[in-house]
C-alpha cells in the first residue's frame, strides 16, 4: 500500500543517500520524494511516497538512521498534498488560445514561451496535474517535469523542527561539507 | 605552537581517549600519515599487522565479542578498504561494536578516480550504523568520539571513519571539549513498567511458558539476571546460536538450541508453548523456519533494545523496548515464584525419546574418525579445565560445536551467525587471544573456511601469540553444501569436493606446531597435547567425509517438520 510519510532529516552529508539506500535495500518502492529546507536551519523536511506492506516497520527502519529525527505517517490523517508541474507544449502560434483555455480551467499559468513552445506551470494535487497534462497532450507534444508531492497535515499546532542538545556549541563537523545528498 | 598536532596524531590521541589498546590493520599510501603518528603512541596503542584486511576486521570482531569493548581495524583506501567490507557486514549482522578506520585519497584528487580511490562510505552505507568521510582535521576529535559512542550505544554495530590523507597531514589545535550532538540517535529509553506488568501477567497465567535467549542477553551482561529469573519462575530456557553461553547448559532448566539444527524436543516445545518470552533475539529464519508457522499457540513477549526488531518477523503480543538486563530486572520484580514442572517433564520425555548430545551420525563400517569423536574429546577436556573460549566458523563443524559442546559461560562461544562468514574463525580467535592472553582460545573450523583466512597464522607467528589452538574438522568437502546436495539435490556434489595442503605441514611452515589426527583413539591425547603446548597449534582432524548434521529442518519448512536421522542406505 502507498503511504505518505513526512520525515525531518538532519542536513548531514549522505543523509538522502541513506534514506534512498535503505528503501531500496529493504525492497520498498519509492514513488516520490521531495526535499527542502524546514523552518529550522540544518533540518530538511521531506515528503516520501513509498509502497510498503508494513509502514510501522518502514518507519522504525528509517528511525535507525542517525540523521532521521522524526517520521510521521500522514496517510490516514487529514492533510493537503500539492505538487508542481512544468509542462512544455509544442504548439503552433494559432493554437495557443486552446492552451490558455485549458490553463484557465485548471488554474495553471503560462510562464514562458518560444516560437514553437509554451511552458505551463501548475500547482495542485497530483491527480489534477495528471488531468491537465492529459488535456494539453491532446493539443501538442509535451515534455513534463514534476516536483514530487509535498504533504502538510491540517490538524495540530504548527511544529518547529527541533535539534536537541546544546545550541551554543561550535559549528557541527559537517557544516562545511557537501550537502544532504 | 605546542598544542598543534597533525590530524594523524589527533586520531591516535582520540583512540587513546576511547581506551583503545589494540588495533588490527595493514598500512598503505592513503593511511601512511596515521601509521607515521602511530609510532609515537606505540607504548599505548598496539598495532597488529595482519596479512589481509578481512583478517584484521575479523580479529577486531573477535576482540570485541570476547571483551564487549569496541574492536578497531585499520586499512588504506581502495582495495584495503573494500577488503574490510565482509567483516563490517558480519559485525552489522551480529551486532558487534566495531570501528573501522580507512585512509582516503587527498581532497584535491577526491572524485577524480585517483589511484586507490574508492567511495568506501558509499559502499558501506547499508552495512554500518553510521559512517563518516572526514576531510578537515578539525572534525576529527568530535567525529571519533561520536563514532565510538554510536558503535557501542544501544544495539552495538560497526561504524566506519574514512579520513582523507590531507586531513591526516594537516596541523590543527584539537578541541576535545565539543559535546556529543547526535539528536537523531536515540539512546535506549527506560523500561515501561506498564508493559512489564502486562508481560508478567501473561507469564503468570501460562501453563507452557518458554524463554528464548539471544545475543542481547550476552551483550547487556544479563546472564546473572537471567539465571535468577529462570530459577524464580521455573521456566525452561532455550538459547539461540548467539545466545549460547548466556545460560549454563548443565542447569536443569536449560533445554538447548532451537531452529534449523536445533533439538527435536526444543522445536516441539516452541510449537506447543503458550507464552514465549524472547530476550534479545531477533527471530532469524534459521530459528523460526517458516515464520508464519512458528510457535502457533504462543503469545510472544519480545524484549529488544532495537524497536525495529519488534514485529519484524513474528507477531508480538507484548513488546518491551529496552536493555535486556534492565528489562529482566523489572520483570523479575513483578513475578511471583512459580514453576512449570509438569511442562518441563513433558519436554524432557520428548527429549528422552530422541538422543541428546548424541549426534545423529551413522558410523560407517570402518573405524573412521567421526566428527563427534572430536567434539566428545574436546568437550571432556573443556569440562576439566577453565580459562577457555571457543570461536567457530560457518558450516557443519559450527552446528556440531553448538550441539555437542556443553556451554556454560557468556562470551565463551563466538561465531559468525547472521552473515554466516566462512573464514571468520581463525582471525577472530587471534583477536580474542590478544584480548585474553591468559586463556586458551580454540578455533574450530572446517577445511573450507580454514583455507579462506589461514594466512593469519603468519600474524599469529609474528606476534608470538601462543594461545590459539585451531581444530580443523577436515572432511575434504564444503560439507554443509555437500549435505544439502546429498539430501535435496540427488547427491550431485557440484563444486563441493575440496583438497588442501597438509595442514599440519602448513602450520609448521608458519612456525607453529601441527598435528594430524586420523584415529579415534588419538583424538583426546592430541587435544591435551595442543592445550599444553606452549605455543599456537593447528590440529588437523581427518574425519569421515560424508557425516551429516542432524536434526535438520529443511529450508522453508516449519520447525515442527524435522529430519532426525539419515535415511537408511
Amino acid at each position: 500500500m502507498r503511504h505518505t510519510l513526512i520525515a525531518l532529516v538532519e542536513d548531514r552529508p549522505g543523509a538522502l543517500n541513506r534514506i534512498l539506500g535503505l528503501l531500496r535495500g529493504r525492497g520498498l518502492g519509492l514513488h516520490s520524494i521531495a526535499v527542502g529546507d524546514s523552518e529550522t536551519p540544518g533540518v530538511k523536511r521531506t515528503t516520501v511516497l513509498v509502497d510498503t506492506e508494513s509502514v510501522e516497520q518502514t518507519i522504525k527502519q528509517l528511525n535507525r538512521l542517525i540523521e532521521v529525527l522524526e517520521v510521521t505517517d500522514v496517510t490516514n490523517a487529514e492533510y493537503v498534498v500539492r505538487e508542481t508541474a512544468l509542462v512544455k507544449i509544442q504548439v503552433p502560434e494559432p493554437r495557443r488560445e486552446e492552451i490558455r483555455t485549458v490553463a484557465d480551467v485548471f488554474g495553471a499559468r503560462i510562464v514562458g514561451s518560444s516560437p514553437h513552445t509554451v511552458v505551463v506551470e501548475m500547482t495542485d494535487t497530483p491527480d489534477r496535474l495528471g488531468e491537465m497534462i492529459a488535456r494539453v497532450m491532446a493539443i501538442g507534444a509535451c515534455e513534463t517535469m514534476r516536483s514530487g508531492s509535498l504533504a502538510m497535515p491540517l490538524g495540530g499546532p504548527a511544529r518547529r523542527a527541533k535539534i536537541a542538545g546544546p545550541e551554543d556549541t561550535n559549528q557541527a563537523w559537517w557544516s562545511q561539507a557537501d550537502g544532504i545528498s | 605552537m605546542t598544542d598543534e598536532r597533525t590530524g594523524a596524531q589527533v586520531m591516535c590521541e582520540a583512540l587513546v581517549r576511547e581506551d583503545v589498546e589494540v588495533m588490527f590493520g595493514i598500512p598503505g599510501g592513503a593511511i601512511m600519515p596515521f601509521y607515521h603518528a602511530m609510532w609515537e603512541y606505540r607504548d599505548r596503542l598496539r598495532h597488529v599487522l595482519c596479512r589481509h584486511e578481512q583478517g584484521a576486521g575479523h580479529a577486531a570482531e573477535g576482540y570485541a565479542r570476547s571483551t564487549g569493548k569496541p574492536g578497531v581495524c585499520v586499512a588504506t583506501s581502495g582495495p584495503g578498504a573494500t577488503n574490510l567490507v565482509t567483516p563490517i557486514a558480519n559485525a552489522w549482522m551480529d551486532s558487534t561494536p566495531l570501528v573501522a578506520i580507512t585512509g582516503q585519497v587527498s581532497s584535491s584528487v577526491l572524485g577524480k578516480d585517483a589511484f586507490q580511490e574508492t567511495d568506501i562510505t558509499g559502499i558501506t552505507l547499508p552495512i554500518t550504523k553510521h559512517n563518516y568521510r572526514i576531510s578537515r582535521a578539525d572534525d576529527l576529535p568530535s567525529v571519533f568520539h561520536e563514532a565510538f559512542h554510536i558503535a557501542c550505544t544501544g544495539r552495538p554495530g560497526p561504524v566506519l571513519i574514512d579520513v582523507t590523507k590531507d586531513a591526516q597531514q594537516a596541523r590543527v589545535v584539537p578541541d576535545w571539549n565539543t559535546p556529543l550532538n547526535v539528536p537523531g540517535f536515540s539512546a535506549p529509553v527506560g523500561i515501561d513498567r506498564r508493559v512489564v506488568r502486562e508481560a508478567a501477567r501473561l507469564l503468570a497465567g501460562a501453563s507452557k511458558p518458554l524463554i528464548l535467549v539471544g545475543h542481547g542477553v550476552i551483550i547487556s551482561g544479563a546472564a546473572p539476571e537471567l539465571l535468577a529469573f529462570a530459577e524464580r519462575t521455573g521456566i525452561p530456557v532455550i538459547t539461540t546460536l548467539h545466545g549460547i553461553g548466556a545460560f549454563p547448559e548443565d542447569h536443569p532448566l536449560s533445554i538447548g538450541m532451537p531452529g534449523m539444527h536445533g533439538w527435536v524436543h526444543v522445536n516441539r516445545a516452541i510449537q506447543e508453548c503458550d507464552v514465549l518470552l524472547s530476550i534479545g533475539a531477533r527471530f532469524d529464519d534459521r530459528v523460526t523456519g517458516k515464520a508464519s508457522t512458528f510457535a502457533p499457540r504462543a503469545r510472544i513477549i519480545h524484549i529488544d533494545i532495537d524497536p525495529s526488531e519488534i514485529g519484524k518477523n513474528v507477531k508480538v503480543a507484548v513488546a518491551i523496548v529496552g536493555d535486556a538486563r534492565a528489562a529482566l530486572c523489572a520483570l523479575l520484580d513483578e513475578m511471583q515464584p512459580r514453576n512449570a514442572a509438569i511442562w518441563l517433564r513433558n519436554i524432557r520425555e520428548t527429549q528422552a525419546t530422541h538422543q541428546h548430545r548424541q549426534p545423529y551420525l551413522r558410523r560407517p563400517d570402518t573405524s573412521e574418525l567421526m566428527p563427534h569423536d572430536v567434539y566428545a574429546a574436546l568437550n571432556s577436556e573443556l569440562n576439566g579445565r577453565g580459562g577457555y573460549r571457543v570461536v567457530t566458523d560457518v558450516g557443519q563443524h559450527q552446528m556440531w560445536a553448538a550441539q555437542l559442546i556443553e556451554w556454560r559461560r557468556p562470551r565463551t562461544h563466538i561465531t559468525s551467525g547472521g552473515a554466516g562468514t566462512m573464514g571468520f574463525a581463525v582471525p577472530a580467535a587471534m583477536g580474542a587471544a590478544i584480548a585474553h592472553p591468559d586463556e586458551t582460545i580454540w578455533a574450530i573450523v572446517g577445511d573450507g573456511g580454514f583455507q579462506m583466512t589461514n594466512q593469519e597464522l603468519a600474524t599469529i607467528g609474528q606476534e608470538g601469540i601462543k594461545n590459539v589452538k585451531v581444530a580443523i574438522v577436515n572432511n575434504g568437502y564444503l560439507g554443509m553444501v555437500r549435505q544439502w546436495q546429498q539430501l535435496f539435490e540427488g547427491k550431485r556434489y557440484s563444486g563441493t569436493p575440496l583438497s588442501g595442503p597438509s595442514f599440519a605441514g602448513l602450520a609448521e611452515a608458519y612456525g607453529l606446531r601441527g598435528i594430524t589426527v586420523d584415529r579415534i583413539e588419538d583424538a583426546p591425547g592430541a587435544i591435551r597435547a595442543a592445550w599444553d603446548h606452549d605455543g599456537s597449534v593447528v590440529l588437523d582432524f581427518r574425519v569421515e567425509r560424508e557425516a551429516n548434521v542432524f536434526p535438520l529442518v529443511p529450508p522453508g519448512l516449519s520447525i515442527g517438520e524435522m529430519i532426525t536421522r539419515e535415511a537408511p542406505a
Side-chain angles (χ1 to χ4, degrees), chain A residues 101-155:
Chain A
T101 310
V102 174
D104 286 346
V105 169
F106 281 92
R109 297 191 301 146
I110 292 175
V111 290
S113 66
S114 76
H116 305 291
T117 59
V118 276
V119 176
V120 171
E121 179 212 318
M122 175 172 161
T123 299
D124 207 315
T125 63
D127 288 351
R128 287 277 291 169
L129 293 185
E131 289 168 26
M132 188 275 285
I133 290 166
R135 291 281 292 276
V136 292
M137 277 177 97
I139 300 169
C142 289
E143 184 180 326
T144 67
M145 171 76 81
R146 297 172 65 154
S147 65
S149 296
L150 302 175
M152 180 65 77
L154 295 177

Side-chain angles (χ1 to χ4, degrees), chain A residues 10 12 17-18 57 60-61 63-69 163-166 169-170 173 176 178, chain B residues 125 129-133 136 139 143 146 155 175 179 181-185 306-308 310 312:
Chain A
E10 244 188 303
R12 291 192 183 204
N17 202 345
R18 279 175 217 280
Q57 185 56 218
K60 286 174 177 173
Q61 292 293 348
N63 272 323
R64 288 176 85 184
L65 299 177
I66 304 296
E67 298 90 345
V68 172
L69 300 172
I163 299 189
T169 54
N170 299 336
W173 65 266
Q176 300 191 356
D178 48 1
Chain B
L125 216 57
K129 274 183 93 175
H130 201 53
N131 63 23
Y132 304 85
R133 191 178 69 208
R136 297 191 323 145
D139 299 334
V143 165
E146 195 174 297
R155 179 181 184 173
D175 175 6
N181 185 14
V182 242
F185 180 60
D306 179 354
S308 76
I310 310 282
K312 186 178 80 176

Side-chain angles (χ1 to χ4, degrees), chain A residues 26 64, chain B residues 87-95 126-129 155 158:
Chain A
R26 304 261 167 198
R64 288 176 85 184
Chain B
I88 291 172
N90 193 67
W92 169 250
M93 291 296 277
D94 286 349
S95 305
I127 50 169
T128 48
K129 274 183 93 175
R155 179 181 184 173

Side-chain angles (χ1 to χ4, degrees), chain B residues 346-358:
Chain B
N346 288 344
I347 295 172
R348 294 294 183 202
E349 276 163 17
T350 311
Q351 179 177 1
T353 61
H354 296 84
Q355 294 161 295
H356 191 194
R357 280 195 212 301
Q358 274 294 324

